[in-house]
Amino acid sequence: NWRTDANGHLTKDAEGDDKTDYARWRLHDNDGRLTWRYLETDEENENWPQTFYDKYNLGLPTGAPELPKAKTPLDAATNGLEFFSKLQMPTGHWACEYGGPMFLLPGVVITWYITNTPIPPEYAVEIKRYLFARQNPVDGGWGLHIEGHSSAFGTVMTYVILRILGASEEDPRMIKARGFAHKLGGALYAPHWAKVWLSLLGVMDWSCANPVPPELWLLPDWVPIAPYRWWVHMRMVFLPMSYLWSKKWVFPQNELTSQLRNEIYAQPYESIDFASHRNSIAKEDNYYPKTMFLNVVNSLLVNVWTPLLRFSALAKKAEDWVWELIRMEDENTNYAGLAPVSNPLNFVCCYIHDGEGSESVRKHREVLHEYLWMKGEGMLCNGTNGAQVWDTAFITQAVSVAGFAEDPKWRPMLTKALEFLDNHQLRENVPNQDKCYRQHRKGAWPFSNKVQGYTVSDCTAEGLRSVLQLQEIHGYPKLVSADRLKDAVDCILLLQNATGGFSEYESRRGSPLLEWLNAAEVFGGIMISYDHVECTTASITAMSLFSRFYPDYRAEEIKAAKHKAVDYIKRVQNPDGSWYGNWGICYTYAALFALESLSSVGETYRTSEYSRRGCEFLLSKQKEDGGWGESYLSSELHVYTQHEMSQVVQTAWVCLSLMEADYPDPEPIRRGIKLLMSRQQTNGEWLQESIEGVFNMSCMISYPNYKFYWPIRALGLFSQKFGNEALF
Ligand code: LAN
């Protein structure tokens, strides 16, 4: 029961916009499920004091003390951990913002609006502030992600939700945004997903959206294009979308939607021939133009199949089966869903199918909040329901690498972290695994928490590695039993593809030719589970460590899997020695994992040509100031692109890569380490620099905890390897 009345704590920010009272926000940690609460009464506010992590995440002064100046790398690592340890959450993990993409909030806000879900006023105020804070000052638009150029997708959708949240069409920032949207051709030139959302909202006609037939879901799995074979995210997005497309459901027109019809187009609404704009798309948005093949398929679907061949009995059967799959996804994830595109769409399906007062709608209303995040600029939508397991695994590894794991000072912190990893390992497969196309998950670790509960290969690998380090090397309690460690290995082995490479969520089920059906326009490489260097290498490293302690378990299979994986890594190394990274920016990120895993099978700078070329590539990119900095454009363009500034996170990645590869000359590494130390603040923290992560080649995503644990790990390893010399 979300409040609908104003709460009376509003002030104004520097722009003159409403702002909530930041002293009233708290991050609530319910067994790793995170929600931000706004405390209404003074009494509540006094009884639940703001913590360090609340203040830090809200951008409020934390009062973190000044620390003795770091002279050596290890001092700097200690200071970093001193600060970072204060951000640990009560259940043992580290929480953080996971923003970046700008196309997620629109789905959430439109969903609230069309399902008559009251938007808590403090949320509305803060989402508006965030969106205005992220408006591109030059053209007044918004992009696909916070650092990207403005696009029709970003601008039109953000404009629409700002209006839903109460921004006036007369606001000069809205006038500017509207002008820019019109310049790009207005809503007609936005990509397919925007057209679906706008049609649901009733400010566009469904004929403008390319078809998403639910009948596809009736195809048997052996058919090469069956949804069973698609990348899990596309499967889960197109599932509810196909239901909604089939229903052609439209939110009843009201005053606001009538106004929006007049605002988001460059011509009068009544004069638009929507069907003729199915394929209109602004060049700013068209990262992956639809193939000729897909255009022909779409045109056959629109002109022949829908009017002449689509039978209602079959459509009904397909809708029923799609609904069944939606229901299974909701139940398997306790309504949290895979990610915040599919989840709001599922919510709308529940609203249509089950009705407003239903249990499913109530659950969705509640759980959707787990995607929202508060920061100094306002409220945004995270890319998943957090990065809890992922960050926690890497933090414990950093502490271990730095040699702090057996220091009694850090024992309580690491014990809690281990408890979190223990708690969030997936213990059972989903009950209807085959029926709903899910991958085996018993023994896996997910990216966020067990509620979301999807297997991810490298999250499993990193979780396994952390647990092994803590339990087997550093003498922590054996919370995760040997059987469960073996379950994790079973999961990893199941995820290897015939190529030798590993994908993230599922082993590959379809041909790369399926990319011809990529209909999203704004993303590349989304149709099947591809091999990823990072996932492959993380798996090798973890299995190598596992075999040290359990040499007999599936030894032959592990050996063979590692062998094939190493071959794959060598095969996909580019002639210049680099690897393309799919989930971090970009060549720098991939090199870290690739070089570390090669070293885990004994291939280093001195012994392996692959390792040597990898190191030479990185060295050729070092900047004058001793650091490294790679722009997100590398991910988009598939060409190494220098960032104008060195970046702490990437500098740490490269220093680690070179050290893991046993690069013999400490000098270039020392220069990188000095850069890390020079960027550290007096209280031990590092400040946020450019965005660190990516997905689907075109959309960037933030990993704010990277600026802590990667430098700590690099500084720690440097002092272990080269002695803890004073550098300042
Ligand atoms: C993530 C986040 C984590 C990431 C790593 C574990 C880092 C990676 O090594 C494997 C892939 C994975 C799990 C991953 C896949 C795609 C995600 C879920 C994301 C990048 C976070 C957001 C993104 C998701 C697709 C966003 C929703 C957008 C759609 C296009 C559906």
Side-chain angles (χ1 to χ4, degrees):
N1 9 344
W2 294 92
R3 279 161 285 103
T4 47
D5 52 343
N7 51 50
H9 303 307
L10 299 186
T11 52
K12 298 273 180 202
D13 67 9
E15 300 291 313
D17 290 322
D18 284 344
K19 183 181 184 197
T20 60
D21 177 359
Y22 267 48
R24 290 178 182 271
W25 287 100
R26 302 290 184 278
L27 180 56
H28 184 245
D29 177 7
N30 171 19
D31 201 16
R33 306 178 72 167
L34 301 171
T35 41
W36 281 93
R37 306 279 171 86
Y38 193 67
L39 303 183
E40 195 78 357
T41 66
D42 293 341
E43 198 191 338
E44 274 178 302
N45 204 32
E46 274 148 35
N47 291 341
W48 182 356
Q50 243 177 355
T51 57
F52 187 91
Y53 58 77
D54 289 322
K55 292 184 194 156
Y56 177 80
N57 284 305
L58 290 164
L60 299 173
T62 55
E66 282 215 8
L67 300 170
K69 175 144 179 52
K71 294 204 164 48
T72 68
L74 204 61
D75 291 344
T78 309
N79 285 355
L81 191 57
E82 193 70 55
F83 183 92
F84 193 43
S85 61
K86 299 198 176 77
L87 293 176
Q88 189 176 29
M89 298 293 295
T91 60
H93 70 282
W94 276 258
C96 64
E97 170 203 342
Y98 193 42
M102 288 305 287
F103 63 97
L104 302 173
L105 269 176
V108 171
V109 175
I110 293 179
T111 296
W112 278 334
Y113 191 67
I114 65 183
T115 59
N116 293 319
T117 301
I119 304 177
E122 60 277 11
Y123 277 37
V125 163
E126 293 304 337
I127 294 174
K128 253 189 299 182
R129 281 186 63 239
Y130 179 75
L131 295 175
F132 280 133
R134 285 291 165 181
Q135 187 171 25
N136 185 336
V138 180
D139 52 32
W142 290 266
L144 187 65
H145 60 92
I146 51 174
E147 292 194 11
H149 62 270
S150 301
S151 67
F153 196 10
T155 308
V156 171
M157 298 300 279
T158 305
Y159 180 91
V160 165
I161 61 168
L162 274 166
R163 293 282 287 123
I164 291 178
L165 295 168
S168 153
E169 78 273 32
E170 308 285 329
D171 185 315
R173 295 166 295 187
M174 296 294 275
I175 295 174
K176 193 165 176 188
R178 199 160 60 229
F180 181 71
H182 290 179
K183 215 170 105 196
L184 297 185
L188 296 173
Y189 285 77
H192 181 234
W193 292 8
K195 288 172 174 162
V196 169
W197 281 114
L198 297 174
S199 302
L200 284 166
L201 180 61
V203 299
M204 183 176 266
D205 189 85
W206 272 106
S207 63
C208 201
N210 272 313
V212 195
E215 285 85 343
L216 271 174
W217 293 86
L218 298 175
L219 293 173
D221 295 349
W222 57 263
V223 177
I225 62 159
Y228 155 77
R229 299 177 181 279
W230 304 355
W231 185 42
V232 64
H233 279 284
M234 288 310 108
R235 214 162 67 220
M236 296 330 278
V237 168
F238 283 106
L239 179 75
M241 213 176 250
S242 70
Y243 186 82
L244 299 166
W245 177 85
S246 193
K247 295 277 185 205
K248 305 281 177 340
W249 186 87
V250 179
F251 178 69
Q253 200 179 339
N254 64 20
E255 206 183 315
L256 177 66
T257 55
S258 310
Q259 288 169 6
L260 281 171
R261 287 178 174 198
N262 289 324
E263 294 167 29
I264 60 174
Y265 298 100
Q267 64 258 62
Y269 189 80
E270 289 68 32
S271 72
I272 300 171
D273 174 8
F274 282 103
S276 70
H277 283 288
R278 273 190 302 114
N279 292 322
S280 301
I281 173 109
K283 68 174 188 326
E284 287 74 4
D285 294 64
N286 207 5
Y287 180 72
Y288 191 90
K290 295 193 295 302
T291 55
M292 180 94 88
F293 178 73
L294 178 59
N295 286 333
V296 170
V297 171
N298 277 333
S299 117
L300 287 173
L301 288 172
V302 170
N303 298 312
V304 183
W305 178 73
T306 313
L308 304 175
L309 300 173
R310 191 168 191 229
F311 299 111
S312 56
L314 198 65
K316 169 83 174 64
K317 193 169 168 208
E319 283 175 8
D320 289 348
W321 172 228
V322 162
W323 169 253
E324 178 70 10
L325 287 164
I326 292 172
R327 209 184 46 74
M328 283 190 268
E329 160 73 353
D330 280 348
E331 283 173 9
N332 287 334
T333 61
N334 207 350
Y335 295 82
L338 172 61
V341 179
S342 55
N343 185 251
L345 288 167
N346 275 19
F347 181 170
V348 180
C349 293
C350 288
Y351 179 81
I352 296 170
H353 187 277
D354 293 345
E356 189 171 343
S358 63
E359 183 64 6
S360 61
V361 166
R362 193 187 65 72
K363 284 257 175 58
H364 269 297
R365 280 185 175 155
E366 194 184 312
V367 179
L368 195 49
H369 290 271
E370 292 176 28
Y371 284 109
L372 294 159
W373 189 263
M374 265 304 285
K375 65 183 293 196
E377 292 170 314
M379 182 174 263
L380 56 96
C381 180
N382 280 344
T384 56
N385 59 346
Q388 295 85 322
V389 165
W390 182 249
D391 280 340
T392 305
F394 279 121
I395 290 154
T396 65
Q397 291 179 27
V399 177
S400 166
V401 169
F404 297 143
E406 289 166 38
D407 183 337
K409 173 163 183 191
W410 303 117
R411 209 174 159 90
M413 174 187 85
L414 289 183
T415 306
K416 283 216 106 178
L418 177 60
E419 281 166 9
F420 185 82
L421 294 174
D422 165 43
N423 182 7
H424 286 269
Q425 187 186 21
L426 304 170
R427 307 285 278 266
E428 296 298 337
N429 288 329
V430 293
N432 33 25
Q433 176 173 303
D434 292 335
K435 197 170 170 198
C436 57
Y437 313 132
R438 288 283 296 264
Q439 176 81 19
H440 176 94
R441 72 168 195 183
K442 183 171 185 236
W445 271 276
F447 177 68
S448 55
N449 59 26
K450 63 185 175 189
V451 178
Q452 190 257 13
Y454 272 82
T455 307
V456 183
S457 58
D458 53 352
C459 299
T460 307
E462 301 302 350
L464 175 63
R465 193 169 168 197
S466 301
V467 172
L468 286 168
Q469 284 176 344
L470 292 175
Q471 296 189 173
E472 308 287 344
I473 301 180
H474 301 303
Y476 279 73
K478 297 225 167 28
L479 300 183
V480 182
S481 66
D483 281 345
R484 286 169 57 198
L485 297 174
K486 292 174 185 168
D487 288 344
V489 170
D490 292 349
C491 257
I492 295 177
L493 285 172
L494 276 170
L495 280 159
Q496 188 167 36
N497 294 319
T499 52
F502 286 72
S503 315
E504 359 58 358
Y505 296 94
E506 293 167 345
S507 49
R508 179 178 302 179
R509 300 172 181 179
S511 151
L513 291 178
L514 266 171
E515 210 56 45
W516 288 10
L517 294 176
N518 175 347
E521 296 156 323
V522 292
F523 304 120
I526 56 171
M527 289 307 291
I528 59 163
S529 293
Y530 288 96
D531 298 318
H532 303 296
V533 172
E534 308 91 307
C535 299
T536 310
T537 54
S539 303
I540 300 180
T541 312
M543 288 194 293
S544 301
L545 187 64
F546 173 83
S547 297
R548 256 175 60 194
F549 300 101
Y550 299 90
D552 300 329
Y553 187 70
R554 299 186 70 177
E556 283 309 308
E557 286 149 286
I558 292 179
K559 199 168 143 211
K562 273 169 54 180
H563 189 75
K564 270 174 73 181
V566 171
D567 274 355
Y568 159 82
I569 293 162
K570 293 178 175 172
R571 205 166 63 238
V572 299
Q573 186 175 30
N574 295 315
D576 63 3
S578 68
W579 288 271
Y580 180 82
N582 285 275
W583 308 110
I585 299 168
C586 174
Y587 295 96
T588 320
Y589 181 72
L592 167 70
F593 290 94
L595 290 172
E596 190 186 17
S597 70
L598 285 178
S599 139
S600 83
V601 293
E603 298 210 23
T604 58
Y605 186 87
R606 285 197 185 82
T607 60
S608 155
E609 173 212 337
Y610 300 92
S611 174
R612 189 177 49 70
R613 285 198 292 126
C615 292
E616 300 296 350
F617 173 82
L618 293 173
L619 289 165
S620 74
K621 305 296 178 197
Q622 188 165 25
K623 288 177 176 285
E624 294 256 296
D625 63 5
W628 280 263
E630 190 183 356
S631 157
Y632 75 84
L633 291 169
S634 287
S635 306
E636 259 186 36
L637 305 171
H638 293 243
V639 178
Y640 188 99
T641 309
Q642 289 279 6
H643 195 293
E644 63 271 22
M645 292 268 294
S646 293
Q647 301 290 310
V648 161
V649 171
Q650 288 162 337
T651 302
W653 287 343
V654 177
C655 290
L656 281 162
S657 310
L658 295 172
M659 289 188 279
E660 292 291 353
D662 234 341
Y663 182 69
D665 176 10
E667 196 38 40
I669 309 172
R670 186 178 289 119
R671 293 178 59 218
I673 293 290
K674 282 184 87 163
L675 182 109
L676 298 180
M677 291 176 71
S678 72
R679 296 266 174 99
Q680 191 173 30
Q681 308 298 300
T682 51
N683 60 9
E685 73 174 312
W686 283 272
L687 303 180
Q688 184 60 38
E689 299 177 342
S690 290
I691 200 155
E692 304 87 351
V694 58
F695 56 91
N696 305 345
M697 299 169 191
S698 59
C699 192
M700 306 305 135
I701 187 157
S702 309
Y703 287 81
N705 285 334
Y706 280 5
K707 63 179 172 288
F708 291 104
Y709 55 77
W710 293 115
I712 292 175
R713 185 162 171 162
L715 292 160
L717 187 60
F718 186 85
S719 68
Q720 304 278 323
K721 242 181 126 72
F722 299 112
N724 191 26
E725 52 182 326
L727 295 181
F728 280 91

